[in-house]
Amino acid sequence: MGSFFVDLLSFDHEVAVYDIDPKKLRFMYNTERFTSLDEVDAFNPEFVINAVSLKYTIQVFDQLLPHIHKDCILSDISSVKTGFKEYYEQSRHRYVSTHPMFGPTFANLGQLSNENAIIINEGDYMGRVFFRDLYQRLGIHLQELSFAEHDETMSYSLSIPFVSTFVFAAVMKHQDTPGTTFKRHMKIARGVLSEDDTLLREILFNPHTKPQVENIRSQLKELIAIIDTRDEQAMNAYLTKIRRNIDN
């Protein structure tokens, strides 16, 4: 996603990208490429988008703060926001936090009109305007949430599909003649499991994820009970319930 933002912004803004690994900068074009924080001092950015994985986000901010001026706006695109509000406020920098709900695994980065993004409604007003304008130019559907609301929403919209995929992959056996539904689930599983392990941990270690996983376990327990008793009426009622959930 860091590369995506570099490419997107470099045509209208003066952009630089910093990484300690020069190999990751080989295919960055129309941008300045830095491997030293001294170069950040000279560039003197007005806006920083921190696109590293959650595990290192605050660490990278700590490294950057001595090298940027006090009016520079800090921003992140992390999938979990726990602790970020407190960090931003103690940093005494203007800040804006967003979450583009798409990535290179499934999204067509050239056509994003069916994708979503979240802008945190706390922080710097002009920072929010910057991302709102950027996402709207791409046709992305926007929602504004607080930090707490964001993490609660992610525990549902990301952790449930991820855990369901993990369960499918855990019990999966090779099929010589897979059906259409199996092949579709397989495609989803390969996509999810091709994600970086750090991202998967971010989603699963969200403090709000555990209740969602417990809910999955509860639903499986109910389904197993219906299967054990071969209760047709209960099965019909269960199917009606879950179809209603999908229709809503």
Side-chain angles (χ1 to χ4, degrees), residues 159-191:
S159 64
I160 288 180
F162 277 30
V163 170
S164 300
T165 299
F166 290 176
V167 171
F168 170 81
V171 302
M172 192 208 72
K173 295 180 180 179
H174 175 74
Q175 300 289 314
D176 290 325
T177 54
T180 301
T181 302
F182 184 92
K183 288 189 287 186
R184 288 176 178 172
H185 279 281
M186 192 67 172
K187 182 179 180 181
I188 292 172
R190 286 195 174 112

PDB file of all heavy atoms in Angstrom, residues 159-191:
ATOM      1  N   SER A 159     -12.155  -9.935  10.880  1.00  0.00           N
ATOM      2  CA  SER A 159     -11.786 -11.132  11.631  1.00  0.00           C
ATOM      3  C   SER A 159     -12.698 -12.310  11.328  1.00  0.00           C
ATOM      4  O   SER A 159     -12.237 -13.458  11.242  1.00  0.00           O
ATOM      5  CB  SER A 159     -11.771 -10.850  13.136  1.00  0.00           C
ATOM      6  OG  SER A 159     -13.063 -10.510  13.615  1.00  0.00           O
ATOM      7  N   ILE A 160     -14.002 -12.083  11.126  1.00  0.00           N
ATOM      8  CA  ILE A 160     -14.907 -13.197  10.827  1.00  0.00           C
ATOM      9  C   ILE A 160     -14.547 -13.854   9.493  1.00  0.00           C
ATOM     10  O   ILE A 160     -14.399 -15.082   9.427  1.00  0.00           O
ATOM     11  CB  ILE A 160     -16.376 -12.733  10.869  1.00  0.00           C
ATOM     12  CG1 ILE A 160     -16.800 -12.476  12.318  1.00  0.00           C
ATOM     13  CG2 ILE A 160     -17.294 -13.778  10.235  1.00  0.00           C
ATOM     14  CD1 ILE A 160     -18.224 -12.004  12.475  1.00  0.00           C
ATOM     15  N   PRO A 161     -14.386 -13.100   8.387  1.00  0.00           N
ATOM     16  CA  PRO A 161     -13.958 -13.763   7.143  1.00  0.00           C
ATOM     17  C   PRO A 161     -12.592 -14.437   7.262  1.00  0.00           C
ATOM     18  O   PRO A 161     -12.379 -15.520   6.714  1.00  0.00           O
ATOM     19  CB  PRO A 161     -13.921 -12.617   6.127  1.00  0.00           C
ATOM     20  CG  PRO A 161     -14.820 -11.580   6.681  1.00  0.00           C
ATOM     21  CD  PRO A 161     -14.679 -11.673   8.168  1.00  0.00           C
ATOM     22  N   PHE A 162     -11.659 -13.799   7.978  1.00  0.00           N
ATOM     23  CA  PHE A 162     -10.332 -14.387   8.101  1.00  0.00           C
ATOM     24  C   PHE A 162     -10.392 -15.707   8.867  1.00  0.00           C
ATOM     25  O   PHE A 162      -9.826 -16.716   8.435  1.00  0.00           O
ATOM     26  CB  PHE A 162      -9.380 -13.410   8.809  1.00  0.00           C
ATOM     27  CG  PHE A 162      -8.770 -12.381   7.900  1.00  0.00           C
ATOM     28  CD1 PHE A 162      -9.448 -11.921   6.785  1.00  0.00           C
ATOM     29  CD2 PHE A 162      -7.524 -11.858   8.173  1.00  0.00           C
ATOM     30  CE1 PHE A 162      -8.891 -10.959   5.947  1.00  0.00           C
ATOM     31  CE2 PHE A 162      -6.950 -10.897   7.349  1.00  0.00           C
ATOM     32  CZ  PHE A 162      -7.636 -10.457   6.230  1.00  0.00           C
ATOM     33  N   VAL A 163     -11.087 -15.717  10.014  1.00  0.00           N
ATOM     34  CA  VAL A 163     -11.160 -16.932  10.820  1.00  0.00           C
ATOM     35  C   VAL A 163     -11.909 -18.029  10.066  1.00  0.00           C
ATOM     36  O   VAL A 163     -11.515 -19.200  10.103  1.00  0.00           O
ATOM     37  CB  VAL A 163     -11.825 -16.640  12.184  1.00  0.00           C
ATOM     38  CG1 VAL A 163     -12.121 -17.938  12.931  1.00  0.00           C
ATOM     39  CG2 VAL A 163     -10.927 -15.754  13.037  1.00  0.00           C
ATOM     40  N   SER A 164     -12.986 -17.673   9.381  1.00  0.00           N
ATOM     41  CA  SER A 164     -13.726 -18.659   8.588  1.00  0.00           C
ATOM     42  C   SER A 164     -12.825 -19.281   7.525  1.00  0.00           C
ATOM     43  O   SER A 164     -12.879 -20.488   7.263  1.00  0.00           O
ATOM     44  CB  SER A 164     -14.938 -18.005   7.929  1.00  0.00           C
ATOM     45  OG  SER A 164     -15.820 -17.470   8.898  1.00  0.00           O
ATOM     46  N   THR A 165     -11.973 -18.451   6.919  1.00  0.00           N
ATOM     47  CA  THR A 165     -11.027 -18.956   5.926  1.00  0.00           C
ATOM     48  C   THR A 165      -9.992 -19.868   6.567  1.00  0.00           C
ATOM     49  O   THR A 165      -9.629 -20.912   6.004  1.00  0.00           O
ATOM     50  CB  THR A 165     -10.322 -17.778   5.224  1.00  0.00           C
ATOM     51  OG1 THR A 165     -11.306 -16.981   4.569  1.00  0.00           O
ATOM     52  CG2 THR A 165      -9.312 -18.269   4.209  1.00  0.00           C
ATOM     53  N   PHE A 166      -9.521 -19.498   7.760  1.00  0.00           N
ATOM     54  CA  PHE A 166      -8.552 -20.343   8.463  1.00  0.00           C
ATOM     55  C   PHE A 166      -9.139 -21.722   8.738  1.00  0.00           C
ATOM     56  O   PHE A 166      -8.466 -22.750   8.574  1.00  0.00           O
ATOM     57  CB  PHE A 166      -8.144 -19.698   9.789  1.00  0.00           C
ATOM     58  CG  PHE A 166      -7.306 -18.457   9.653  1.00  0.00           C
ATOM     59  CD1 PHE A 166      -6.953 -17.735  10.779  1.00  0.00           C
ATOM     60  CD2 PHE A 166      -6.870 -17.997   8.428  1.00  0.00           C
ATOM     61  CE1 PHE A 166      -6.188 -16.585  10.680  1.00  0.00           C
ATOM     62  CE2 PHE A 166      -6.102 -16.852   8.306  1.00  0.00           C
ATOM     63  CZ  PHE A 166      -5.759 -16.146   9.445  1.00  0.00           C
ATOM     64  N   VAL A 167     -10.396 -21.754   9.173  1.00  0.00           N
ATOM     65  CA  VAL A 167     -11.047 -23.026   9.483  1.00  0.00           C
ATOM     66  C   VAL A 167     -11.172 -23.876   8.219  1.00  0.00           C
ATOM     67  O   VAL A 167     -10.891 -25.081   8.236  1.00  0.00           O
ATOM     68  CB  VAL A 167     -12.427 -22.783  10.130  1.00  0.00           C
ATOM     69  CG1 VAL A 167     -13.199 -24.085  10.263  1.00  0.00           C
ATOM     70  CG2 VAL A 167     -12.269 -22.123  11.498  1.00  0.00           C
ATOM     71  N   PHE A 168     -11.588 -23.244   7.118  1.00  0.00           N
ATOM     72  CA  PHE A 168     -11.678 -23.976   5.848  1.00  0.00           C
ATOM     73  C   PHE A 168     -10.324 -24.570   5.476  1.00  0.00           C
ATOM     74  O   PHE A 168     -10.214 -25.756   5.116  1.00  0.00           O
ATOM     75  CB  PHE A 168     -12.177 -23.042   4.742  1.00  0.00           C
ATOM     76  CG  PHE A 168     -12.075 -23.625   3.364  1.00  0.00           C
ATOM     77  CD1 PHE A 168     -13.040 -24.510   2.899  1.00  0.00           C
ATOM     78  CD2 PHE A 168     -11.011 -23.297   2.521  1.00  0.00           C
ATOM     79  CE1 PHE A 168     -12.939 -25.061   1.622  1.00  0.00           C
ATOM     80  CE2 PHE A 168     -10.907 -23.838   1.249  1.00  0.00           C
ATOM     81  CZ  PHE A 168     -11.878 -24.727   0.800  1.00  0.00           C
ATOM     82  N   ALA A 169      -9.273 -23.761   5.558  1.00  0.00           N
ATOM     83  CA  ALA A 169      -7.943 -24.226   5.176  1.00  0.00           C
ATOM     84  C   ALA A 169      -7.436 -25.318   6.114  1.00  0.00           C
ATOM     85  O   ALA A 169      -6.745 -26.249   5.692  1.00  0.00           O
ATOM     86  CB  ALA A 169      -6.965 -23.054   5.156  1.00  0.00           C
ATOM     87  N   ALA A 170      -7.801 -25.229   7.402  1.00  0.00           N
ATOM     88  CA  ALA A 170      -7.317 -26.194   8.385  1.00  0.00           C
ATOM     89  C   ALA A 170      -7.885 -27.590   8.161  1.00  0.00           C
ATOM     90  O   ALA A 170      -7.213 -28.594   8.435  1.00  0.00           O
ATOM     91  CB  ALA A 170      -7.650 -25.706   9.793  1.00  0.00           C
ATOM     92  N   VAL A 171      -9.128 -27.689   7.663  1.00  0.00           N
ATOM     93  CA  VAL A 171      -9.759 -29.003   7.477  1.00  0.00           C
ATOM     94  C   VAL A 171      -9.749 -29.449   6.022  1.00  0.00           C
ATOM     95  O   VAL A 171     -10.211 -30.544   5.700  1.00  0.00           O
ATOM     96  CB  VAL A 171     -11.224 -28.988   7.995  1.00  0.00           C
ATOM     97  CG1 VAL A 171     -11.260 -28.605   9.466  1.00  0.00           C
ATOM     98  CG2 VAL A 171     -12.103 -28.032   7.184  1.00  0.00           C
ATOM     99  N   MET A 172      -9.212 -28.625   5.130  1.00  0.00           N
ATOM    100  CA  MET A 172      -9.274 -28.907   3.708  1.00  0.00           C
ATOM    101  C   MET A 172      -8.412 -30.107   3.330  1.00  0.00           C
ATOM    102  O   MET A 172      -7.316 -30.291   3.848  1.00  0.00           O
ATOM    103  CB  MET A 172      -8.806 -27.676   2.921  1.00  0.00           C
ATOM    104  CG  MET A 172      -9.093 -27.747   1.444  1.00  0.00           C
ATOM    105  SD  MET A 172      -7.893 -26.795   0.512  1.00  0.00           S
ATOM    106  CE  MET A 172      -6.448 -27.813   0.654  1.00  0.00           C
ATOM    107  N   LYS A 173      -8.928 -30.915   2.423  1.00  0.00           N
ATOM    108  CA  LYS A 173      -8.176 -32.017   1.839  1.00  0.00           C
ATOM    109  C   LYS A 173      -8.172 -31.835   0.321  1.00  0.00           C
ATOM    110  O   LYS A 173      -9.106 -31.288  -0.251  1.00  0.00           O
ATOM    111  CB  LYS A 173      -8.817 -33.361   2.198  1.00  0.00           C
ATOM    112  CG  LYS A 173      -8.783 -33.687   3.683  1.00  0.00           C
ATOM    113  CD  LYS A 173      -9.435 -35.043   3.955  1.00  0.00           C
ATOM    114  CE  LYS A 173      -9.405 -35.369   5.442  1.00  0.00           C
ATOM    115  NZ  LYS A 173     -10.049 -36.683   5.733  1.00  0.00           N
ATOM    116  N   HIS A 174      -7.114 -32.323  -0.312  1.00  0.00           N
ATOM    117  CA  HIS A 174      -7.007 -32.199  -1.766  1.00  0.00           C
ATOM    118  C   HIS A 174      -8.178 -32.896  -2.453  1.00  0.00           C
ATOM    119  O   HIS A 174      -8.571 -34.005  -2.076  1.00  0.00           O
ATOM    120  CB  HIS A 174      -5.687 -32.799  -2.245  1.00  0.00           C
ATOM    121  CG  HIS A 174      -5.557 -32.807  -3.739  1.00  0.00           C
ATOM    122  ND1 HIS A 174      -5.313 -31.661  -4.473  1.00  0.00           N
ATOM    123  CD2 HIS A 174      -5.660 -33.824  -4.641  1.00  0.00           C
ATOM    124  CE1 HIS A 174      -5.259 -31.969  -5.758  1.00  0.00           C
ATOM    125  NE2 HIS A 174      -5.462 -33.274  -5.883  1.00  0.00           N
ATOM    126  N   GLN A 175      -8.724 -32.221  -3.454  1.00  0.00           N
ATOM    127  CA  GLN A 175      -9.837 -32.769  -4.218  1.00  0.00           C
ATOM    128  C   GLN A 175      -9.429 -32.936  -5.675  1.00  0.00           C
ATOM    129  O   GLN A 175      -8.988 -31.985  -6.322  1.00  0.00           O
ATOM    130  CB  GLN A 175     -11.053 -31.837  -4.134  1.00  0.00           C
ATOM    131  CG  GLN A 175     -11.579 -31.607  -2.724  1.00  0.00           C
ATOM    132  CD  GLN A 175     -12.260 -32.842  -2.170  1.00  0.00           C
ATOM    133  OE1 GLN A 175     -13.060 -33.475  -2.850  1.00  0.00           O
ATOM    134  NE2 GLN A 175     -11.934 -33.185  -0.931  1.00  0.00           N
ATOM    135  N   ASP A 176      -9.566 -34.147  -6.200  1.00  0.00           N
ATOM    136  CA  ASP A 176      -9.270 -34.375  -7.618  1.00  0.00           C
ATOM    137  C   ASP A 176     -10.357 -33.804  -8.513  1.00  0.00           C
ATOM    138  O   ASP A 176     -10.094 -33.420  -9.670  1.00  0.00           O
ATOM    139  CB  ASP A 176      -9.115 -35.876  -7.893  1.00  0.00           C
ATOM    140  CG  ASP A 176      -7.842 -36.443  -7.266  1.00  0.00           C
ATOM    141  OD1 ASP A 176      -6.834 -35.702  -7.228  1.00  0.00           O
ATOM    142  OD2 ASP A 176      -7.870 -37.593  -6.809  1.00  0.00           O
ATOM    143  N   THR A 177     -11.594 -33.771  -8.023  1.00  0.00           N
ATOM    144  CA  THR A 177     -12.719 -33.240  -8.803  1.00  0.00           C
ATOM    145  C   THR A 177     -13.483 -32.226  -7.962  1.00  0.00           C
ATOM    146  O   THR A 177     -14.626 -32.475  -7.549  1.00  0.00           O
ATOM    147  CB  THR A 177     -13.658 -34.380  -9.247  1.00  0.00           C
ATOM    148  OG1 THR A 177     -14.059 -35.131  -8.085  1.00  0.00           O
ATOM    149  CG2 THR A 177     -12.960 -35.293 -10.239  1.00  0.00           C
ATOM    150  N   PRO A 178     -12.888 -31.074  -7.674  1.00  0.00           N
ATOM    151  CA  PRO A 178     -13.557 -30.086  -6.814  1.00  0.00           C
ATOM    152  C   PRO A 178     -14.754 -29.453  -7.512  1.00  0.00           C
ATOM    153  O   PRO A 178     -14.733 -29.209  -8.713  1.00  0.00           O
ATOM    154  CB  PRO A 178     -12.463 -29.050  -6.556  1.00  0.00           C
ATOM    155  CG  PRO A 178     -11.571 -29.149  -7.750  1.00  0.00           C
ATOM    156  CD  PRO A 178     -11.578 -30.602  -8.137  1.00  0.00           C
ATOM    157  N   GLY A 179     -15.810 -29.203  -6.726  1.00  0.00           N
ATOM    158  CA  GLY A 179     -16.975 -28.505  -7.250  1.00  0.00           C
ATOM    159  C   GLY A 179     -16.739 -27.015  -7.320  1.00  0.00           C
ATOM    160  O   GLY A 179     -15.729 -26.489  -6.834  1.00  0.00           O
ATOM    161  N   THR A 180     -17.708 -26.306  -7.905  1.00  0.00           N
ATOM    162  CA  THR A 180     -17.575 -24.857  -8.091  1.00  0.00           C
ATOM    163  C   THR A 180     -17.446 -24.129  -6.763  1.00  0.00           C
ATOM    164  O   THR A 180     -16.595 -23.242  -6.604  1.00  0.00           O
ATOM    165  CB  THR A 180     -18.795 -24.319  -8.869  1.00  0.00           C
ATOM    166  OG1 THR A 180     -18.877 -24.979 -10.128  1.00  0.00           O
ATOM    167  CG2 THR A 180     -18.657 -22.818  -9.097  1.00  0.00           C
ATOM    168  N   THR A 181     -18.292 -24.494  -5.789  1.00  0.00           N
ATOM    169  CA  THR A 181     -18.242 -23.820  -4.483  1.00  0.00           C
ATOM    170  C   THR A 181     -16.896 -24.040  -3.810  1.00  0.00           C
ATOM    171  O   THR A 181     -16.308 -23.104  -3.248  1.00  0.00           O
ATOM    172  CB  THR A 181     -19.380 -24.334  -3.581  1.00  0.00           C
ATOM    173  OG1 THR A 181     -20.633 -24.107  -4.230  1.00  0.00           O
ATOM    174  CG2 THR A 181     -19.364 -23.614  -2.241  1.00  0.00           C
ATOM    175  N   PHE A 182     -16.389 -25.283  -3.872  1.00  0.00           N
ATOM    176  CA  PHE A 182     -15.089 -25.582  -3.266  1.00  0.00           C
ATOM    177  C   PHE A 182     -14.000 -24.733  -3.914  1.00  0.00           C
ATOM    178  O   PHE A 182     -13.146 -24.162  -3.228  1.00  0.00           O
ATOM    179  CB  PHE A 182     -14.776 -27.069  -3.429  1.00  0.00           C
ATOM    180  CG  PHE A 182     -13.505 -27.501  -2.759  1.00  0.00           C
ATOM    181  CD1 PHE A 182     -13.519 -27.979  -1.460  1.00  0.00           C
ATOM    182  CD2 PHE A 182     -12.289 -27.423  -3.432  1.00  0.00           C
ATOM    183  CE1 PHE A 182     -12.339 -28.370  -0.847  1.00  0.00           C
ATOM    184  CE2 PHE A 182     -11.113 -27.804  -2.824  1.00  0.00           C
ATOM    185  CZ  PHE A 182     -11.132 -28.290  -1.525  1.00  0.00           C
ATOM    186  N   LYS A 183     -14.034 -24.627  -5.241  1.00  0.00           N
ATOM    187  CA  LYS A 183     -12.997 -23.868  -5.944  1.00  0.00           C
ATOM    188  C   LYS A 183     -13.052 -22.387  -5.577  1.00  0.00           C
ATOM    189  O   LYS A 183     -12.013 -21.727  -5.461  1.00  0.00           O
ATOM    190  CB  LYS A 183     -13.139 -24.060  -7.453  1.00  0.00           C
ATOM    191  CG  LYS A 183     -12.725 -25.451  -7.931  1.00  0.00           C
ATOM    192  CD  LYS A 183     -12.658 -25.547  -9.448  1.00  0.00           C
ATOM    193  CE  LYS A 183     -14.015 -25.573 -10.075  1.00  0.00           C
ATOM    194  NZ  LYS A 183     -13.959 -25.808 -11.534  1.00  0.00           N
ATOM    195  N   ARG A 184     -14.264 -21.862  -5.386  1.00  0.00           N
ATOM    196  CA  ARG A 184     -14.386 -20.460  -4.986  1.00  0.00           C
ATOM    197  C   ARG A 184     -13.819 -20.233  -3.596  1.00  0.00           C
ATOM    198  O   ARG A 184     -13.108 -19.255  -3.348  1.00  0.00           O
ATOM    199  CB  ARG A 184     -15.855 -20.033  -5.042  1.00  0.00           C
ATOM    200  CG  ARG A 184     -16.394 -19.876  -6.461  1.00  0.00           C
ATOM    201  CD  ARG A 184     -17.866 -19.558  -6.465  1.00  0.00           C
ATOM    202  NE  ARG A 184     -18.372 -19.352  -7.817  1.00  0.00           N
ATOM    203  CZ  ARG A 184     -19.649 -19.217  -8.112  1.00  0.00           C
ATOM    204  NH1 ARG A 184     -20.572 -19.258  -7.149  1.00  0.00           N
ATOM    205  NH2 ARG A 184     -20.030 -19.038  -9.372  1.00  0.00           N
ATOM    206  N   HIS A 185     -14.136 -21.144  -2.680  1.00  0.00           N
ATOM    207  CA  HIS A 185     -13.575 -21.020  -1.328  1.00  0.00           C
ATOM    208  C   HIS A 185     -12.050 -21.161  -1.368  1.00  0.00           C
ATOM    209  O   HIS A 185     -11.337 -20.479  -0.627  1.00  0.00           O
ATOM    210  CB  HIS A 185     -14.185 -22.077  -0.407  1.00  0.00           C
ATOM    211  CG  HIS A 185     -15.536 -21.709   0.121  1.00  0.00           C
ATOM    212  ND1 HIS A 185     -15.712 -20.828   1.170  1.00  0.00           N
ATOM    213  CD2 HIS A 185     -16.770 -22.099  -0.246  1.00  0.00           C
ATOM    214  CE1 HIS A 185     -17.003 -20.685   1.413  1.00  0.00           C
ATOM    215  NE2 HIS A 185     -17.675 -21.447   0.574  1.00  0.00           N
ATOM    216  N   MET A 186     -11.579 -22.040  -2.220  1.00  0.00           N
ATOM    217  CA  MET A 186     -10.138 -22.247  -2.337  1.00  0.00           C
ATOM    218  C   MET A 186      -9.452 -20.984  -2.830  1.00  0.00           C
ATOM    219  O   MET A 186      -8.373 -20.609  -2.335  1.00  0.00           O
ATOM    220  CB  MET A 186      -9.883 -23.400  -3.305  1.00  0.00           C
ATOM    221  CG  MET A 186      -8.459 -23.891  -3.295  1.00  0.00           C
ATOM    222  SD  MET A 186      -8.036 -24.681  -1.737  1.00  0.00           S
ATOM    223  CE  MET A 186      -6.430 -25.335  -2.163  1.00  0.00           C
ATOM    224  N   LYS A 187     -10.055 -20.305  -3.780  1.00  0.00           N
ATOM    225  CA  LYS A 187      -9.481 -19.069  -4.299  1.00  0.00           C
ATOM    226  C   LYS A 187      -9.402 -18.009  -3.201  1.00  0.00           C
ATOM    227  O   LYS A 187      -8.394 -17.302  -3.067  1.00  0.00           O
ATOM    228  CB  LYS A 187     -10.321 -18.554  -5.471  1.00  0.00           C
ATOM    229  CG  LYS A 187      -9.773 -17.290  -6.110  1.00  0.00           C
ATOM    230  CD  LYS A 187     -10.634 -16.847  -7.287  1.00  0.00           C
ATOM    231  CE  LYS A 187     -10.080 -15.581  -7.922  1.00  0.00           C
ATOM    232  NZ  LYS A 187     -10.923 -15.123  -9.067  1.00  0.00           N
ATOM    233  N   ILE A 188     -10.466 -17.904  -2.408  1.00  0.00           N
ATOM    234  CA  ILE A 188     -10.475 -16.946  -1.306  1.00  0.00           C
ATOM    235  C   ILE A 188      -9.393 -17.303  -0.290  1.00  0.00           C
ATOM    236  O   ILE A 188      -8.641 -16.439   0.180  1.00  0.00           O
ATOM    237  CB  ILE A 188     -11.854 -16.909  -0.628  1.00  0.00           C
ATOM    238  CG1 ILE A 188     -12.896 -16.304  -1.581  1.00  0.00           C
ATOM    239  CG2 ILE A 188     -11.800 -16.109   0.675  1.00  0.00           C
ATOM    240  CD1 ILE A 188     -14.321 -16.406  -1.078  1.00  0.00           C
ATOM    241  N   ALA A 189      -9.292 -18.602   0.040  1.00  0.00           N
ATOM    242  CA  ALA A 189      -8.305 -19.039   1.027  1.00  0.00           C
ATOM    243  C   ALA A 189      -6.886 -18.729   0.563  1.00  0.00           C
ATOM    244  O   ALA A 189      -6.052 -18.250   1.345  1.00  0.00           O
ATOM    245  CB  ALA A 189      -8.465 -20.533   1.300  1.00  0.00           C
ATOM    246  N   ARG A 190      -6.604 -18.995  -0.701  1.00  0.00           N
ATOM    247  CA  ARG A 190      -5.258 -18.702  -1.219  1.00  0.00           C
ATOM    248  C   ARG A 190      -4.969 -17.206  -1.150  1.00  0.00           C
ATOM    249  O   ARG A 190      -3.851 -16.791  -0.860  1.00  0.00           O
ATOM    250  CB  ARG A 190      -5.127 -19.217  -2.650  1.00  0.00           C
ATOM    251  CG  ARG A 190      -5.009 -20.740  -2.760  1.00  0.00           C
ATOM    252  CD  ARG A 190      -4.525 -21.163  -4.140  1.00  0.00           C
ATOM    253  NE  ARG A 190      -4.268 -22.595  -4.204  1.00  0.00           N
ATOM    254  CZ  ARG A 190      -4.993 -23.456  -4.914  1.00  0.00           C
ATOM    255  NH1 ARG A 190      -6.018 -23.022  -5.621  1.00  0.00           N
ATOM    256  NH2 ARG A 190      -4.682 -24.732  -4.928  1.00  0.00           N
ATOM    257  N   GLY A 191      -5.992 -16.399  -1.462  1.00  0.00           N
ATOM    258  CA  GLY A 191      -5.799 -14.952  -1.405  1.00  0.00           C
ATOM    259  C   GLY A 191      -5.514 -14.462  -0.004  1.00  0.00           C
ATOM    260  O   GLY A 191      -4.572 -13.697   0.233  1.00  0.00           O
TER     261      GLY A 191
END
